[in-house]
Amino acid sequence: MAERTVFQSISHKHVTSLGPQASVRDAACVMTRAGCGSVLIMEPPDTLLGILTERDLMTRVLARGLDPEHTTAREVMTPNPICVPPETPVSDAVVLMLERGFRHLPLVAGTKILGVFSVRDALPREIGTALSQAEFNEQVNDVLG
């Protein structure tokens, strides 16, 4: 059986987004209502500026004691996030996230944002495949120096 793609695997087929001047509190409320762990920060009509995640809220807002009402999404977002096309295999996406240390990956076809793949969208089977690939990559890197 062929491996699923990231687009086939995403649980939310709609794009959750806000403008860069939205408050961090607004972003947290949008994520809570949508039941997702990230929100894309976009400039109308369709320019992706960054992504704001639950982890960003914790490490860049709460841990620094910033006021969520007066801190904008632009101030604490991850700018220019790495994106992948919708046909990317799940295991490749998980390897990328493991190697780069993030949990959310925007899906882009041309200039159109299709959604966000989260590590939660990966099944244990595919996580196992990705971990094996990541371990292999690490071994190759060790050999190559």
Side-chain angles (χ1 to χ4, degrees):
M1 177 161 66
E3 182 178 352
R4 292 177 311 133
T5 67
V6 289
F7 186 72
Q8 292 168 328
S9 302
I10 59 175
S11 54
H12 294 96
K13 298 279 191 206
H14 64 279
V15 176
T16 304
S17 66
L18 283 172
Q21 296 309 315
S23 74
V24 167
R25 183 180 185 289
D26 290 340
C29 289
V30 165
M31 285 188 262
T32 299
R33 278 193 304 273
C36 62
S38 67
V39 61
L40 297 178
I41 307 305
M42 299 184 68
E43 198 88 82
D46 59 358
T47 302
L48 178 62
L49 301 176
I51 187 169
L52 185 63
T53 68
E54 295 165 320
R55 184 186 289 180
D56 294 331
L57 295 177
M58 183 179 62
T59 61
R60 297 178 183 172
V61 179
L62 293 174
R64 293 181 184 168
L66 299 179
D67 180 352
E69 287 287 340
H70 297 101
T71 303
T72 65
R74 183 188 296 273
E75 293 174 77
V76 293
M77 70 181 187
T78 298
N80 306 310
I82 293 172
C83 300
V84 296
E87 64 273 7
T88 302
V90 168
S91 61
D92 290 353
V94 173
V95 166
L96 178 63
M97 290 190 286
L98 287 169
E99 291 178 346
R100 298 294 184 99
F102 51 80
R103 300 176 188 170
H104 298 88
L105 199 54
L107 308 181
V108 179
T111 59
K112 184 169 175 51
I113 308 290
L114 301 176
V116 176
F117 176 78
S118 166
V119 74
R120 290 182 218 152
D121 295 321
L123 292 174
R125 166 179 60 104
E126 289 151 327
I127 290 174
T129 302
L131 285 172
S132 295
Q133 183 65 45
E135 289 169 1
F136 173 77
N137 292 350
E138 189 174 306
Q139 290 172 357
V140 168
N141 287 338
D142 287 345
V143 169
L144 297 176

